[in-house]
Amino acid sequence: MKPKKKQVNAVAQRKAQRAAQEKRMKQIMWITGACIVVLVLLLVFIRPQSKEASFDYSSLPVLGNPEAPIKIVEMGDYKCPACQYFSQDIEPSLQKDFIDSGKAALYFMNYLIISPNADSNTAALAAQSVFHQNKDEFWKYYHVLFDNQQDEKTEWATPEFLVKLARDNNIKVDYDQLSKDIEEKTYQDEVDSHMATGNKLGVNSTPTLYVNGEKVAENVSLDYTALKSYLDKKSADTDK
């Protein structure tokens, strides 16, 4: 009878082993499933935020038809040399090829990167004053500021100089009001709002362009051939 007892014990032992294996497999499957759920939740809630921008276009200076299908936003600093290059070498071509034809409109927002606590801010205040006094004169003053830009390490955009530039270039605004708006920081809240938008979007250089809410690569923004190709594609997409 001893061999039968050993056989029974062996069968029971195998059953116990199978049961233990099944239990371990269930535990592994449960843990794996839980991990997958956690990973999905992490992807949903901790994934990087979209950098697609939403702008209040109606509150910004605009060059061209506000109803144009392509909306280009330049985030710039009047003391930034690269922004000067954009204003002198890129913007005129943009106007000729896209803005004058009604394909695109160009908007401007202040993003202060050179001297945000000094005369970059002063220049932005002056430009906002011109914009609110006479919207048609904004882009003329925009070019006056960039054309008269001095060394970025020098604090040149003083209230006196900014008013003198407006007067000497026949910018059609009230010069006393312009001086007052600069000194009293009348439009500081607007400049701060522009900055907050840029910070939220992670802007870290100027000029930074957004086209219909999509950030344009820096090497494209300052290379008109590349920018034109990019905008031609956008224009073709809007025509579909």
Side-chain angles (χ1 to χ4, degrees):
M1 299 297 293
K2 285 183 180 180
K4 289 185 180 179
K5 185 176 182 181
K6 286 182 180 180
Q7 187 176 11
V8 170
N9 288 341
V11 171
Q13 192 173 35
R14 285 196 294 271
K15 287 183 178 180
Q17 287 174 344
R18 282 198 298 271
Q21 287 175 346
E22 290 175 359
K23 184 178 180 181
R24 282 197 297 271
M25 286 300 299
K26 287 179 180 178
Q27 289 175 336
I28 291 170
M29 291 176 65
W30 186 90
I31 292 170
T32 301
C35 288
I36 291 171
V37 171
V38 170
L39 285 172
V40 170
L41 291 173
L42 286 172
L43 288 172
V44 170
F45 294 106
I46 309 181
R47 64 187 175 187
Q49 294 298 308
S50 170
K51 296 299 182 183
E52 186 166 317
S54 176
F55 299 104
D56 180 10
Y57 295 105
S58 64
S59 69
L60 301 176
V62 57
L63 181 64
N65 183 357
E67 301 301 318
I70 298 175
K71 299 183 186 300
I72 307 167
V73 175
E74 175 196 356
M75 303 196 78
D77 181 333
Y78 295 107
K79 288 194 68 180
C80 166
C83 295
Q84 181 191 57
Y85 175 82
F86 180 87
S87 75
Q88 295 176 340
D89 291 74
I90 304 294
E91 186 273 332
S93 296
L94 271 181
Q95 184 164 1
K96 175 178 174 290
D97 293 336
F98 294 95
I99 296 171
D100 289 346
S101 63
K103 295 178 182 177
L106 177 65
Y107 297 80
F108 184 82
M109 290 185 72
N110 298 284
Y111 192 74
L112 315 181
I113 201 166
I114 303 298
S115 54
N117 298 314
D119 58 335
S120 284
N121 190 68
T122 310
L125 291 171
Q128 290 304 112
S129 175
V130 169
F131 170 61
H132 284 282
Q133 286 196 58
N134 187 343
K135 290 178 172 57
D136 293 335
E137 292 291 276
F138 172 84
W139 291 97
K140 182 179 177 181
Y141 192 58
Y142 164 98
H143 281 289
V144 165
L145 289 177
F146 282 121
D147 290 347
N148 289 275
Q149 185 187 92
Q150 298 175 30
D151 188 280
E152 63 185 282
K153 296 179 182 178
T154 303
E155 191 168 332
W156 56 265
T158 63
E160 296 77 18
F161 183 70
L162 294 166
V163 174
K164 184 177 186 300
L165 282 180
R167 192 188 302 273
D168 290 349
N169 290 275
N170 195 31
I171 302 298
K172 295 177 176 60
V173 294
D174 183 321
Y175 304 121
D176 290 335
Q177 184 63 48
L178 174 59
S179 179
K180 182 179 179 183
D181 286 341
I182 296 170
E183 294 289 352
E184 296 183 359
K185 299 186 175 182
T186 304
Y187 299 105
Q188 188 65 59
D189 286 349
E190 290 185 4
V191 176
D192 291 344
S193 176
H194 293 182
M195 286 292 293
T197 298
N199 289 335
K200 183 178 179 181
L201 292 170
V203 173
N204 57 16
S205 64
T206 53
T208 291
L209 300 186
Y210 284 86
V211 173
N212 291 349
E214 180 180 87
K215 187 177 181 180
V216 180
E218 184 178 349
N219 62 321
V220 174
S221 299
L222 294 174
D223 178 343
Y224 187 67
T225 300
L227 182 59
K228 184 177 185 301
S229 176
Y230 175 88
L231 292 173
D232 281 337
K233 184 177 185 303
K234 287 289 182 184
S235 182
D237 289 342
T238 60
D239 289 340
K240 291 179 181 178

